[in-house]
Each structure stands twice: as C-alpha cells, then as structure tokens.
Amino acid sequence: MKTAGNPDCLFCKIASGEIPSESVYSDELVYAFKDIDPKAPVHILVIPKEHIVSAAEISPENSKVISRIFEVIAHLSKELGLDRGFRVVTNCGGEGGQTVYHLHFHLMAGRPMKWPPG
Ligand code: 5GP
Ligand code: ZN
C-alpha cells in the first residue's frame, strides 16, 4: 500500500493510520475521513494516500488518483444519501484558503450552500 510520502505531513500520517481519524472510506489510492472541525452537517475530507501538495501539483504522472477520488465522492454521495446535493471544494495555496498542504477535497452537505464562497 502506498502511504506516507512526507514524514512531516499531517494528512500522510492520517492516511497511514499513525494519527487517528474517523474513516469513512479506504482503498489502495484514496482515504476519506471526517473533518475534525465540520463546517456542515456532512463534512468529509477525501485525500490521495500519496503525498501531493495541492491542486497546483497535479500532473500526468500523479493524476490517476484524481479520477478515483471523484469516483469515491460519487460512491459516498449515494452511500450517505446526499440526494439533495453536495459541494466539493479544494482550497489551493494561501489566498485559496489552504491550511494543510496535502491535497484534499472537502465533501460538504446537509445544508444549503451559498455562492460565491467567501
Ligand atoms: P484546508 O483549510 O487546507 O482547505 O482544509 C484543512 C481541513 O483539515 C480543515 O477543514 C480542518 O478542519 C481539517 N483538519 C485539520 N487538522 C485535522 C485533523 O487532525 N484531523 C481531521 N480529521 N481534520 C483536520
Ligand atoms: Zn502528505
């Protein structure tokens, strides 16, 4: 199993199980877990197990996991009954609001979402 790539990375440690989390999905490429500080009734983080810093670092060499991540999101949306809708967000870089520098997609649902986001 491909896990940690960066020994100082919080989400690498979560993906490998070194730091505990509330798991909702795991396969050889992808891990999904509940956000520790939820901003919606459903707030899940979906991450590649491989260390990718952000959306700015997606390339032909590492992008296979991105399609898997969206397959997982579709699977979770059905499993969790998110038929009223949901939002998928990835924050990238400082002005994008990224605080953890391991690529992650926020899957949020359970309340009406505003547009545009702040
Ligand atoms: P960002 O701000 O980088 O887009 O999102 C980082 C997210 O990670 C935040 O929503 C934050 O609540 C979540 N987070 C930070 N540390 C932890 C942690 O140790 N465990 C879990 N489950 N979520 C975390
Ligand atoms: Zn990482």
Side-chain angles (χ1 to χ4, degrees):
M1 189 173 71
K2 214 169 188 180
T3 54
N6 181 338
D8 300 321
C9 172
L10 173 64
F11 285 179
C12 282
K13 288 178 181 166
I14 284 178
S16 70
E18 187 183 336
I19 290 178
S21 63
E22 278 192 73
S23 173
V24 296
Y25 180 89
S26 183
D27 67 26
E28 76 279 13
L29 295 177
V30 174
Y31 186 62
F33 57 104
K34 292 185 182 177
D35 196 290
I36 204 167
D37 182 19
K39 305 297 192 299
V42 175
H43 190 170
I44 290 165
L45 301 174
V46 188
I47 69 172
K49 287 188 173 175
E50 178 187 4
H51 183 78
I52 300 172
V53 169
S54 75
E57 304 302 324
I58 297 169
S59 69
E61 287 69 42
N62 65 18
S63 64
K64 187 180 160 204
V65 70
I66 306 303
S67 56
R68 178 70 67 85
I69 282 172
F70 277 87
E71 290 167 8
V72 170
I73 288 169
H75 164 77
L76 287 172
S77 76
K78 292 177 183 69
E79 188 175 78
L80 300 172
L82 308 182
D83 44 296
R84 284 184 293 143
F86 58 87
R87 181 169 288 176
V88 179
V89 175
T90 187
N91 298 321
C92 183
E95 283 201 4
Q98 186 173 9
T99 59
V100 177
Y101 282 79
H102 178 128
L103 178 64
H104 51 282
F105 293 83
H106 299 257
L107 169 58
M108 305 172 78
R111 63 167 171 81
M113 299 291 163
K114 291 190 175 66
W115 190 262

